[in-house]
Amino acid sequence: MPIRQFQAQRMHAPRDFKSIAPEPICVEIGAGKGKHALLFSQNNPEQKLIAVERTREKFIAMQKQHAIEGQTNLQTVHADALPWVVHALYPAQVEQFFILYPNPEPHNPAQRWANMPFFEFLLSRLKTGGTITLASNIPEYIDEAEQQVKDLWNLPYVKEVIAQDSARTHFEIKYLERGELCQQLIIRKPEGYATRFDDFQPLQGQNSVASE
């Protein structure tokens, strides 16, 4: 059954929104205290990463650590990811999205990433050959996302067990130390893949919603 269309034009800009240049970037959604973002930008100096975090305390912790480490290829953003993506990102701009250990939304399956109409918009921002890395310590979450990626979104992917010594995020360290199975899907956008948002340009901070 086709998923309902995401209403991108209804998204209000995040507070203190700043637009970005239409250059190739990587984006981490729900970056937490920034452990992965700081590691990635340190290890990949030729790639620019924007790390988006909604929770104020976690964002401040990430900002402080970034100020200490000083990676020039990392930009931190305090915002809700959905409106930020709609207002900031250009079609086929993103090389990699990282969504590492998102809230599993146990009581609201419609808010899980691969179930959301917004996922189609996210795919429109991904360049051909670009990837989305979705990691979780909950087998049912990964199994459901895998099913959706296959049956609903028709995307190629790789499913991996995350190595015991991996330490990308604070959550990952904690889960692996507890002996939990951590897995990830690396979802790729193939040549010729089309979405209904391929021509949708960023709203660049406009606060008005489109009329019906």
Side-chain angles (χ1 to χ4, degrees):
M1 192 172 80
I3 200 161
R4 65 185 173 83
Q5 188 165 336
F6 175 64
Q7 300 296 312
Q9 74 280 4
R10 294 185 172 277
M11 279 274 160
H12 287 272
R15 185 181 298 169
D16 303 324
F17 174 81
K18 293 182 178 68
S19 59
I20 65 169
E23 60 187 348
I25 55 166
C26 300
V27 175
E28 182 170 2
I29 292 174
K33 295 178 181 176
K35 187 171 180 60
H36 172 264
L38 291 156
L39 269 172
F40 179 87
S41 50
Q42 185 176 18
N43 294 335
N44 299 276
E46 74 294 347
Q47 289 183 286
K48 180 173 181 179
L49 176 69
I50 300 182
V52 184
E53 174 53 43
R54 180 176 57 184
T55 308
R56 182 170 173 76
E57 299 75 37
K58 289 178 181 176
F59 172 75
I60 289 169
M62 172 166 61
Q63 214 178 22
K64 282 180 180 170
Q65 194 58 35
H66 184 214
I68 293 166
E69 296 187 25
Q71 290 91 325
T72 55
N73 59 327
L74 173 62
Q75 179 182 340
T76 60
V77 172
H78 180 217
D80 187 304
L82 273 66
W84 183 84
V85 165
V86 168
H87 282 263
L89 297 182
Y90 295 82
Q93 179 181 15
V94 178
E95 297 174 318
Q96 296 183 71
F97 279 110
F98 297 99
I99 308 173
L100 305 179
Y101 304 95
N103 183 337
E105 303 286 355
H107 305 299
N108 194 359
Q111 290 298 309
R112 295 173 196 153
W113 283 96
N115 296 347
M116 293 166 70
F118 175 73
F119 198 73
E120 181 181 5
F121 190 90
L122 206 65
L123 291 169
S124 77
R125 307 298 98 173
L126 195 62
K127 73 173 205 176
T128 297
T131 59
I132 299 173
T133 300
L134 178 63
S136 179
N137 64 316
I138 300 168
E140 297 79 13
Y141 186 97
I142 288 289
D143 290 347
E144 180 189 66
E146 180 181 17
Q147 204 66 42
Q148 293 290 74
V149 165
K150 228 182 339 192
D151 297 343
L152 177 61
W153 302 111
N154 301 308
L155 290 162
Y157 67 93
V158 176
K159 184 180 186 179
E160 298 177 341
V161 172
I162 293 163
Q164 280 299 310
D165 60 352
S166 189
R168 292 176 299 182
T169 77
H170 294 95
F171 281 128
E172 187 165 83
I173 292 166
K174 181 173 75 174
Y175 298 146
L176 290 170
E177 279 178 353
R178 293 201 303 225
E180 295 182 22
L181 173 66
C182 293
Q183 300 176 92
Q184 65 187 15
L185 299 178
I186 300 175
I187 304 154
R188 187 174 57 81
K189 183 177 179 179
E191 185 82 43
Y193 191 87
T195 79
R196 292 173 285 189
F197 299 101
D198 290 349
D199 297 323
F200 186 100
Q201 292 298 316
L203 295 177
Q204 299 286 6
Q206 297 168 37
N207 270 307
S208 58
V209 291
S211 57
E212 294 288 351

